[in-house]
Amino acid sequence: MTVEPIADLRAALQQAATELAFEAGWQAATDPGRAEHLMTVASAMEETLQRTATAQP
């Protein structure tokens, strides 16, 4: 297995986390519960990215 597909998946996960956090900001004023849920999911994605990051030479 090459590293590129994994890098692509990591990039997609990072983009999704960013989009969720952005949407949470929009939802905060009208639906704080939904905003909190979105931020929880985004944080879990970020934690997964950090936990599974490989060391760069």
Side-chain angles (χ1 to χ4, degrees):
M1 176 178 239
T2 65
V3 176
E4 289 179 25
I6 291 175
D8 291 345
L9 288 170
R10 290 181 60 76
L13 187 60
Q14 178 62 60
Q15 182 64 34
T18 300
E19 294 289 333
L20 284 171
F22 183 81
E23 182 61 22
W26 280 100
Q27 295 285 325
T30 58
D31 193 348
R34 178 74 176 150
E36 183 178 355
H37 173 73
L38 292 171
M39 283 306 299
T40 299
V41 173
S43 293
M45 289 178 172
E46 291 287 348
E47 289 171 10
T48 298
L49 286 168
Q50 290 175 4
R51 189 177 65 252
T52 60
T54 57
Q56 298 296 322

